[in-house]
């Protein structure tokens, strides 16, 4: 999350170097989901001029596509949320790719059963109009008022979200923030 405008390129360069070393036989350096997530995170938190943001968006898209092609590394709710954040913060509001990417990735996230509160938060912040239209009709109406709890999300959409200690604490909390039960 540094302020370095080339952090996305640096993170991608490190990912490529790790892939190269892993292919040369050093399997301990094979990138995992956390490494791909770190590259996406560097992109998502890139700020600056239009050219810098456009390059970071290109890296985020390339990294996400690469991640989806890997047979032994699977997206999780964190990578989906981070990619959604990258698209919504880096793509201009009038960029025709923006809504297409957000909708496509959210649908893929639902199919993979990785919808979490973080994914919904990024969807609602990045594309509020899609947030309402992509939810089942009964939830879409509640979304207008910011009243959706994770317990109301279809189970098949969240079936593969890891439910560790933090998730259980989040699910038990009853405070509302950003439209989600916290």
């Amino acid at each position: 999350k540094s302020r370095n405008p080339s952090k996305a390129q640096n993170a991608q360069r490190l990912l490529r170097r790790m892939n190269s070393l892993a292919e040369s036989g050093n399997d301990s350096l094979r990138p995992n989901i956390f490494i791909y997530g770190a590259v996406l995170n560097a992109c998502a938190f890139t700020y600056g001029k239009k050219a810098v943001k456009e390059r970071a968006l290109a890296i985020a898209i390339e990294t996400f596509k690469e991640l989806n092609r890997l047979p032994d590394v699977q997206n999780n709710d964190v990578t989906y949320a981070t990619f959604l954040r990258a698209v919504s913060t880096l793509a201009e509001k009038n960029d025709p790719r923006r809504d297409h990417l957000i909708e496509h990735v959210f649908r893929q996230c639902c199919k993979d059963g990785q919808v979490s509160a973080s994914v919904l938060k990024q969807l609602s912040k990045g594309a509020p109009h899609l947030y309402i239209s992509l939810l089942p009709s009964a939830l879409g109406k509640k979304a207008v008022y910011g009243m959706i709890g994770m317990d109301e999300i279809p189970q098949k959409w969240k079936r593969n979200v890891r439910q560790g200690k933090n998730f259980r604490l989040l699910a038990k909390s009853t405070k509302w923030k950003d439209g989600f039960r916290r």
Side-chain angles (χ1 to χ4, degrees):
K1 293 184 182 178
S2 77
R3 297 195 185 274
N4 184 336
S6 60
K7 65 184 167 189
Q9 292 95 315
N10 293 341
Q12 184 186 45
R13 192 175 310 115
L14 180 59
L15 173 65
R16 287 183 176 156
R17 179 79 174 129
M18 290 177 76
N19 274 322
S20 175
L21 290 169
E23 289 171 12
S24 297
N26 192 343
D27 205 47
S28 66
L29 290 176
R30 184 167 311 283
N32 60 22
I33 191 67
F34 301 107
I35 301 300
Y36 281 93
V39 175
L40 292 173
N41 197 58
C43 296
F45 285 91
T46 296
Y47 304 100
K49 295 182 180 183
K50 185 177 180 177
V52 170
K53 291 170 70 174
E54 184 61 39
R55 180 66 185 132
L57 178 60
I59 290 170
I61 292 168
E62 187 178 321
T63 301
F64 194 75
K65 284 181 178 179
E66 181 179 323
L67 176 57
N68 283 303
R69 288 190 302 263
L70 295 173
D72 54 339
V73 180
Q74 302 296 315
N75 271 313
N76 60 26
D77 65 305
V78 176
T79 56
Y80 279 115
T82 306
F83 183 73
L84 288 170
R85 180 184 174 96
V87 172
S88 65
T89 60
L90 299 172
E92 298 286 327
K93 300 268 188 220
N94 61 354
D95 186 334
R97 298 174 299 173
R98 182 186 168 104
D99 282 358
H100 174 75
L101 281 168
I102 290 173
E103 181 174 353
H104 174 76
V105 168
F106 181 72
R107 289 186 188 282
Q108 181 182 343
C109 182
C110 292
K111 182 180 167 200
D112 290 347
Q114 292 291 349
V115 175
S116 66
S118 298
V119 169
L120 290 174
K121 179 178 179 181
Q122 292 308 320
L123 177 64
S124 70
K125 288 175 78 175
H129 58 289
L130 290 177
Y131 174 66
I132 293 168
S133 68
L134 291 172
L135 294 175
S137 60
L139 290 180
K141 290 176 185 172
K142 284 184 158 188
V144 171
Y145 301 104
M147 302 282 293
I148 298 176
M150 282 305 296
D151 56 332
E152 298 172 277
I153 299 300
Q155 180 59 36
K156 66 182 181 180
W157 286 12
K158 59 185 179 180
R159 70 187 180 281
N160 294 321
V161 175
R162 291 195 56 172
Q163 298 184 8
K165 178 182 173 186
N166 291 339
F167 181 87
R168 285 192 299 276
L169 290 174
L170 182 66
K172 287 182 181 179
S173 178
T174 57
K175 292 183 181 175
W176 291 94
K177 184 176 179 185
D178 299 327
F180 302 104
R181 198 173 283 150
R182 298 273 192 223

